[in-house]
Amino acid sequence: MTPKTLEVKQNFCAALENVSNMEQLEQLRVEYIGKKGYVTDLLKDMKSLSNEEKKTFGQEVNILKNEVNDKLAEKREELRKKEIELENSRMPEFDISIPADLKRGSYHPITLVQRQCEEVFKSMGFVVEDYSEIVTDYECFEALNIPKTHPARDMQDTYYLGNGQLLKSHTSAAQNAIYKKYKDALINEGKAIKAIFPGRCFRNEATDACHENTFFQMEGIMVDKNISISNLIFFMKTMLSEVFKKDIKVRLRPGFFPFVEPGFELDISCLICGGEGCPSCKHSGWLELCPCGMIHPEVLKAGGIDPDEYTGFAFGLGLTRLAMMKFGIKDIRDLNGGSLKTLSQFTDDK
Ligand code: FA5
C-alpha cells in the first residue's frame, strides 16, 4: 500500500471512531467516497504512473474503497441499534396484564329479543335457519302464490336490484328453500318440519313511530300430518308468554296473505300505552305483531310437499316491534339510530 493510500485509510479510521450519529456518518461517507472524496481523489495521481503501476494502484484504491464502504455499513448498523435502544428506554413502562378500564358493550335490543325467541322455539324442537338478504322474485313472491301481476305485491313496496333480484321484503322469502331442504326427511322419515328463520327485511316505507324501511322479522313454519290452527295458537301463546313473562292481551282477526289459507293477524295490546292509543300503535291500542295462518296448498306444492297428505302453519313475527314492546321503546327509529346513549338504556350494560 502506498504511503498516501495508507494515510487516507488511517485518517478515515480515526474519523470513524468519533462518529456518533447518522448525520456525521453521512458526512464522512461524502468526505471519503463521494465524488470529490479523499479515496476518489487518490485516482487523480494515476496519470503519472506506468501501465503496470496503474493496475496495482487501481486495485489498491478499489480495495480501500470497499473497506471504507464495509466500515460505514458496520457503523450504520451500530448507530441504528443504539437509536432503537434509546427509543425503547424512553417508552413508558406498562403492565399488559392490568384489566382494561373499558365499558363493556352489550347486545342490541333486537338481538336480545331474537335470541330469546330462538331459545323458546329451540326448546320446542324448532331449528334456526339463516337466509340471504338478497333473494329472487321466485323466492319472495312466485313460490308464495303471488304471481307477477298479483295485486298483493303492492302490499310490500320492494327494492329491486338491477339484476332482477331484490332485497328480501319479508322472511317468508326463505320458506320455499326450507321446504325443499327438509321435505325428504318429512316424506321418508316422518320428521316434521319445524323451523324458524329470523332475518332483516327491507321495504320502501315512509317511516314513522312504528314503521321502518329496514326491520327484522322472524318466520316460523311447522309442517306435518294433521297440523291445525290449534297448534299455531299454542306455539304463538307459548312464545309470547316466555318473552314477556306475563299475560299479554292478544287478538286474532282474519288477515289476507296469498301464501296462507285461512290467514290471521295476531295483534297484541300496546304495552307502551296500555291499550289507550299512542303513536307507537297508530292510536289504535293494538299493535300488529305476528301475521300467521295455515300454509296454502300451492305453497306446499312449490316446496315439493303434497298438500293432500301434509298441512302446516306459518307465522311472520315482527321482531323489531316485539323489541319495542319488550323494552318499552316508543319510536321504532331509535332502534336503527345507532345512538349508544339511547340504546344502552334498554340493555343490561349501562
Ligand atoms: C308479512 O311480511 C308476511 N310475510 C307475514 C306472514 C308470514 C303471514 C307467514 C302469514 C304467514 P306483514 O307485511 O304484515 O306480513 O309483516 C309482518 C310483521 O312485520 C308485521 O306485523 C310487523 O310486525 C312487521 N312489519 C312489517 N312492516 C314493518 C315495518 N315497515 N317496520 C317494522 N315492522 C314491520
Side-chain angles (χ1 to χ4, degrees):
M1 194 178 270
T2 60
K4 201 159 182 198
T5 314
L6 189 64
E7 191 192 338
V8 171
K9 182 178 171 174
Q10 283 170 343
N11 287 348
F12 169 77
C13 291
L16 190 67
E17 286 285 303
N18 294 327
V19 164
S20 59
N21 59 42
M22 290 289 191
E23 260 174 44
Q24 291 172 357
L25 188 71
E26 176 58 12
Q27 255 176 27
L28 194 67
R29 186 191 69 77
V30 174
E31 233 171 84
Y32 278 83
I33 52 174
K35 265 188 190 161
K36 293 178 185 161
Y38 294 123
V39 179
T40 325
D41 266 4
L42 285 172
L43 296 171
K44 285 182 188 158
D45 298 341
M46 278 177 69
K47 283 179 217 154
S48 56
L49 301 176
S50 70
N51 277 353
E52 195 52 36
E53 285 169 331
K54 268 185 192 162
K55 201 175 158 198
T56 324
F57 185 66
Q59 278 172 354
E60 191 177 295
V61 174
N62 255 342
I63 290 170
L64 177 61
K65 197 174 173 187
N66 287 341
E67 272 179 21
V68 167
N69 252 328
D70 289 349
K71 285 191 188 309
L72 285 170
E74 257 172 48
K75 190 73 177 182
R76 195 171 295 118
E77 187 56 23
E78 187 190 311
L79 289 174
R80 205 181 59 82
K81 277 187 187 152
K82 275 194 186 146
E83 272 179 4
I84 292 173
E85 273 166 25
L86 189 71
E87 216 161 275
N88 284 347
S89 72
R90 283 200 201 115
M91 284 208 339
E93 285 205 359
F94 64 96
D95 180 353
I96 55 165
S97 63
I98 295 174
D101 183 21
L102 294 174
K103 275 180 80 185
R104 280 178 58 213
S106 63
Y107 287 113
H108 192 279
I110 298 176
T111 308
L112 292 173
V113 170
Q114 177 181 325
R115 293 200 172 172
Q116 202 180 354
C117 291
E118 285 176 8
E119 287 314 311
V120 177
F121 279 101
K122 277 199 281 189
S123 74
M124 297 189 288
F126 283 70
V127 292
V128 182
E129 287 285 341
D130 194 16
Y131 208 66
S132 169
E133 289 179 350
I134 294 176
V135 295
T136 59
D137 186 276
Y138 177 79
E139 291 169 304
C140 202
F141 298 121
E142 286 186 57
L144 293 168
N145 203 25
I146 311 176
K148 285 239 155 31
T149 50
H150 199 289
R153 289 197 178 205
D154 294 346
M155 286 156 64
Q156 300 179 1
D157 195 347
T158 308
Y159 293 109
Y160 285 86
L161 306 179
N163 63 2
Q165 290 186 306
L166 47 100
L167 294 184
K168 182 167 73 182
S169 58
H170 55 169
T171 42
S172 306
Q175 277 194 23
N176 188 258
I178 290 173
Y179 296 135
K180 286 175 178 160
K181 178 172 175 185
Y182 290 106
K183 73 176 166 51
D184 290 341
L186 171 74
I187 297 164
N188 303 328
E189 298 162 42
K191 277 192 189 159
I193 303 178
K194 288 166 91 178
I196 52 166
F197 25 111
R200 202 194 317 250
C201 304
F202 308 86
R203 292 183 199 173
N204 182 26
E205 298 265 14
T207 57
D208 59 27
C210 59
H211 288 87
E212 254 295 5
N213 49 32
T214 304
F215 56 96
F216 284 79
Q217 289 185 344
M218 193 179 80
E219 193 91 355
I221 51 171
M222 178 170 182
V223 182
D224 202 354
K225 289 185 174 159
N226 303 319
I227 296 295
S228 71
I229 295 170
S230 326
N231 299 109
L232 167 64
I233 294 171
F234 167 79
F235 283 109
M236 292 292 92
K237 272 191 170 169
T238 311
M239 185 271 297
L240 290 174
S241 63
E242 286 292 322
V243 169
F244 289 104
K245 305 279 182 216
K246 61 176 181 184
D247 269 346
I248 299 289
K249 226 164 109 185
V250 296
R251 72 175 185 190
L252 204 59
R253 58 193 168 91
F256 170 68
F257 301 92
F259 35 96
V260 283
E261 182 55 41
F264 307 99
E265 287 281 3
L266 186 140
D267 304 334
I268 66 168
S269 174
C270 179
L271 298 177
I272 305 284
C273 61
E276 302 262 297
C278 67
S280 312
C281 59
K282 286 198 276 184
H283 302 281
S284 70
W286 293 94
L287 197 77
E288 270 181 31
L289 186 70
C290 187
C292 49
M294 298 305 292
I295 301 165
H296 196 285
E298 289 302 324
V299 174
L300 287 175
K301 260 194 236 167
I305 296 168
D306 180 357
D308 291 331
E309 209 172 331
Y310 298 97
T311 49
F313 66 76
F315 61 86
L317 176 68
L319 261 190
T320 305
R321 287 197 187 157
L322 188 63
M324 286 174 75
M325 292 297 111
K326 164 105 181 151
F327 293 104
I329 299 168
K330 291 189 183 131
D331 196 315
I332 197 169
R333 291 164 288 198
D334 285 339
L335 286 161
N336 281 0
S339 157
L340 291 181
K341 203 170 161 196
T342 308
L343 291 172
S344 63
Q345 295 174 59
F346 309 118
T347 51
D348 296 338
D349 296 300
K350 300 278 185 288

